[in-house]
Amino acid sequence: MNLEKEQRYVRFVEMIENLMGYKEQILQDRIPRHIAIIMDGNGRWAKRQGMARMFGHRQGVETVHRITEAAAELGIEYLTLYAFSTENWNRPKEEVDALMALLVDTIAKETPTLMKNNIRLQTIGDISRLPQATHDKFVACIEQTNQNTGLTLVIALSYSARWELIQAARQIAQAVQHSKMLVEDINEETISAHLTTRDMPDPDLLIRTSGELRISNFLLWQLAYAELYFTDCLWPEFTEEEFYHAIVDYQHRERRFGKTSEQVR
Ligand code: FPP
C-alpha cells in the first residue's frame, strides 16, 4: 500500500471506530489476561456531593460490582483491586472500622453474585491484621468460590508491595540458611514464586482512577512491564465504558518488553 492509500485507510478505520462504542472495538484475541486497578477518589467524590467519606466508599462498592461483572463477561482471567493498603491502617479509626464493616456486608451480599457468575475470590495481603469478622467472611467466601473457573477476583487487603517483598526476602533467606537453596540459584522466578501473586500472571494493564499519577506501593515487582492507564474519573463514577476504553487503549499499544519494534512485530 502506498503512503497516501495507507493514510486514507487509517482515517477510514478511525472514522468507523468513532461510530462504535469502546466495547465493540475490543479485539477478542488480545484481551489482557490480568488487569489491576487502584480504585481512588471515593473520598473526593463524596465531598463533592456534600457527603461523608463513607458515602463514597459505599458508592465505590457499586463500581466494584459493575466492573467485576464487565471483566467476567469479557473473559478476563484476573482482576486485582487495591481495596485497602498497609498504609490505610493509619486512617482515622472510624473510617477504618466503617470500611471493615462495609467489606463484611459486601462479601455477604455479593457471594451469590460471584457464584452466579462463576467468579473465584482470592485475597493478597496480610489478612491476619483484619478484624476477625472481616477475616472470617473473606476466608469463607474464598472457600465457597474456590471451584469456580471463570474470572479470579483478587482483593488486595492490608497489602503493600514493600511488605510483600520483605516477606519474600525473609523466606528466601531462610531457605538459604537451611541449605534448601543456593544464593547463586536465586533468580526472577525465585522472587516471583515467593510473592503473594505466585500463581497469577503479571498484570498486563494497570488502571488508576482520580487523576493521581502514582503506583502507591502496589504490585511493584509484578507491574514491571504493565501498561499504565490513568484517568481523572473518580472511582464511584468509573463506568464500564471507561473500562472498555482502557482496554482498547491497551490493545493499541506496542508491548516491546525491552526489544525493538521490528523484533516484536
Ligand atoms: C480510595 O479512595 C479507596 C479506598 C481506600 C477504599 C476502596 C474500597 C472500596 C471501594 C470497597 C471495596 C470493596 C470490595 C469488596 C473490593 P480514597 O478514600 O483514598 O479517596 P480520596 O483519595 O478521594 O480521599
Side-chain angles (χ1 to χ4, degrees):
M1 225 188 292
N2 68 31
L3 187 63
E4 196 190 326
K5 261 192 179 163
E6 192 174 325
Q7 283 170 342
R8 248 189 292 148
Y9 177 72
V10 169
R11 277 201 300 275
F12 175 73
V13 170
E14 280 173 358
M15 196 182 78
I16 297 293
E17 283 178 348
N18 287 337
L19 293 172
M20 290 158 74
Y22 287 116
K23 191 178 183 187
E24 289 71 40
Q25 292 180 44
I26 293 175
L27 306 169
Q28 280 307 316
D29 59 342
R30 288 190 61 194
I31 296 277
R33 287 187 71 194
H34 185 172
I35 298 182
I37 306 184
I38 301 178
M39 312 179 286
D40 198 9
N42 292 348
R44 275 164 284 170
W45 182 84
K47 200 171 170 191
R48 278 185 204 170
Q49 324 290 315
M51 303 293 279
R53 294 177 57 79
M54 276 316 293
F55 183 69
H57 293 314
R58 276 192 287 276
Q59 198 59 38
V61 170
E62 297 302 318
T63 310
V64 169
H65 179 101
R66 287 187 287 100
I67 298 304
T68 302
E69 280 200 335
E73 192 198 329
L74 285 176
I76 288 158
E77 289 175 56
Y78 292 87
L79 177 68
T80 299
L81 304 177
Y82 205 4
F84 195 84
S85 72
T86 308
E87 292 75 21
N88 286 155
W89 289 116
N90 300 321
R91 289 194 174 193
K93 184 173 178 326
E94 311 80 69
E95 182 171 344
V96 172
D97 290 349
L99 262 172
M100 292 299 142
L102 177 64
L103 288 168
V104 172
D105 282 357
T106 305
I107 293 302
K109 208 175 95 201
E110 295 292 341
T111 303
T113 320
L114 298 179
M115 293 306 291
K116 190 185 95 200
N117 290 290
N118 194 23
I119 298 170
R120 182 168 66 131
L121 186 79
Q122 287 193 349
T123 57
I124 53 170
D126 185 4
I127 64 165
S128 69
R129 287 187 72 181
L130 299 177
Q132 201 65 46
T134 315
H135 175 273
D136 293 351
K137 260 279 175 290
F138 270 94
V139 171
C141 184
I142 290 167
E143 277 171 16
Q144 196 179 337
T145 60
N146 191 30
Q147 298 302 315
N148 291 345
T149 53
L151 172 77
T152 299
L153 174 63
V154 185
I155 309 293
L157 275 176
S158 188
Y159 173 88
S160 80
R162 288 185 176 180
W163 163 82
E164 177 180 47
L165 288 164
I166 291 167
Q167 301 306 310
R170 285 185 184 154
Q171 287 166 18
I172 295 166
Q174 274 172 359
V176 171
Q177 199 176 27
H178 294 113
S179 308
K180 289 186 181 144
M181 194 185 290
L182 294 172
V183 168
E184 310 77 88
D185 290 342
I186 298 172
N187 55 25
E188 285 195 16
E189 282 72 39
T190 320
I191 309 284
S192 294
H194 286 84
L195 299 177
T196 56
T197 51
R198 63 184 70 84
D199 300 320
M200 309 170 198
D202 285 343
D204 302 294
L205 170 63
L206 171 77
I207 299 172
R208 181 171 188 151
T209 58
S210 94
E212 307 290 354
L213 307 178
R214 287 189 291 276
I215 303 293
S216 297
N217 213 350
F218 189 43
L219 301 173
L220 296 181
W221 174 273
Q222 299 88 333
L223 290 172
Y225 285 103
E227 297 296 327
L228 309 181
Y229 181 91
F230 296 102
T231 169
D232 286 339
C233 179
L234 304 174
W235 180 247
E237 60 195 19
F238 186 74
T239 59
E240 289 90 323
E241 191 61 4
E242 178 94 40
F243 183 60
Y244 301 141
H245 183 200
I247 295 172
V248 169
D249 192 80
Y250 159 86
Q251 291 186 331
H252 281 88
R253 309 228 190 136
E254 184 180 71
R255 303 188 77 196
R256 290 199 292 276
F257 300 96
K259 296 181 181 169
T260 66
S261 233
E262 291 68 29
Q263 282 176 304
V264 292
R265 266 180 200 166

